[in-house]
């Protein structure tokens, strides 16, 4: 099926991640980063990671997503409110599409996490299977180190050990690759109809989706 492609959204995506300001930041000598296990906290402003949408519009598709800081109410009887990040949108499979994501702008300096075992995050989803993706290079289409995780409508903790991350290029495994955990440049969350090596995501469903995100930290 074919659907009308959104050129403006494609340009906005390109400028968000690779506009002149972002290119200049990567050329300027990096400042020192304070030592901390916390990678991202929705209550901290300005944000520790600056997320922007990276949807299949970059490949001609028409899926659409956003990332916002919002207030979430717990599902128990107390109904307590908390501040969370919300990755939400609509997946459509026209134009050979079928993925939506949010990716952080490149970190300069990169995160130095070689002394840690992995990354931990608190999530609440909609029953779909998502991916956490990290990169250890400033190459736009460099190796993406991925871990798939399932969600429920209750809060859960996802741990992504560095040793369990799958090295991929365009969702295909890259044999023999080794992660440089002292050079983590971006983090990304993705919902895709594909798992790895052309296999389908067994929990994928086109249409609206929503993933709530609490704190991200190294452990």
């Amino acid at each position: 099926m074919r659907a009308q492609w959104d050129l403006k959204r494609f340009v906005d995506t390109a400028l968000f991640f690779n506009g002149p300001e972002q290119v200049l930041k990567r050329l300027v000598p990096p400042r020192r980063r304070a030592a901390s296990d916390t990678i991202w906290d929705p209550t901290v402003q300005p944000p520790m990671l600056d997320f922007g949408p990276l949807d299949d519009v970059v490949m001609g598709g028409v899926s659409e997503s956003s990332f916002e800081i919002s207030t979430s109410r717990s599902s128990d009887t107390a109904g307590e409110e908390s501040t969370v990040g919300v990755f939400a949108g609509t997946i459509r499979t026209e134009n050979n599409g079928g993925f939506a994501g949010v990716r952080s702008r490149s970190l300069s300096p990169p995160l130095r996490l070689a002394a840690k075992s992995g990354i931990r995050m608190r999530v609440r989803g909609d029953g779909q299977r998502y991916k956490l993706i990290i990169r250890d290079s400033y190459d736009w289409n460099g190796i993406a180190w991925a871990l798939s995780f399932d969600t429920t409508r209750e809060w859960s903790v996802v741990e992504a050990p560095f040793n369990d991350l799958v090295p991929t290029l365009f969702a295909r495994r890259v044999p023999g690759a080794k992660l440089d955990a002292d050079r983590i440049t971006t983090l990304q969350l993705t919902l895709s109809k594909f798992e790895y090596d052309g296999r389908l995501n067994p929990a994928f469903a086109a249409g609206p989706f929503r993933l709530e995100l609490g704190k991200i930290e190294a452990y």
Side-chain angles (χ1 to χ4, degrees), residues 111-213:
L111 297 174
R112 298 177 59 87
L113 302 179
K116 302 295 182 179
S117 298
I119 291 174
R120 177 189 295 125
M121 58 185 181
R122 187 167 177 262
V123 300
R124 179 166 68 176
D126 49 13
Q128 298 227 55
R129 176 175 293 181
Y130 294 80
K131 289 179 183 176
L132 169 67
I133 294 173
I134 66 174
R135 298 175 188 268
D136 60 356
S137 166
Y138 288 113
D139 294 340
W140 176 251
N141 284 323
I143 290 179
W145 296 84
L147 180 87
S148 298
F149 62 94
D150 295 310
T151 62
T152 70
R153 299 187 186 277
E154 302 296 329
W155 283 102
S156 62
V157 173
V158 173
E159 290 192 346
F162 292 138
N163 289 338
D164 291 350
L165 298 179
V166 179
T168 66
L169 279 175
F170 302 105
R172 294 194 175 275
R173 298 173 191 264
V174 180
K178 293 185 178 181
L179 174 70
D180 184 354
D182 260 350
R183 198 167 186 262
I184 306 303
T185 59
T186 64
L187 277 77
Q188 179 177 335
L189 294 167
T190 295
L191 175 60
S192 172
K193 70 178 181 181
F194 292 108
E195 188 77 349
Y196 306 108
D197 301 324
R199 295 195 304 272
L200 294 177
N201 177 347
F204 175 78
F209 68 89
R210 179 183 176 92
L211 177 70
E212 295 181 7
L213 179 66

Side-chain angles (χ1 to χ4, degrees), residues 73-81 124 153-155:
R73 187 178 295 276
S74 65
S75 59
D76 59 25
T77 55
E80 296 180 353
E81 293 186 342
R124 179 166 68 176
R153 299 187 186 277
E154 302 296 329
W155 283 102

Side-chain angles (χ1 to χ4, degrees), residues 30-36 48-49 106-112 184:
R31 65 189 185 281
R32 292 180 61 86
R33 186 181 301 280
S36 173
M48 304 165 74
L49 296 175
S106 296
L107 293 164
S108 181
L111 297 174
R112 298 177 59 87
I184 306 303

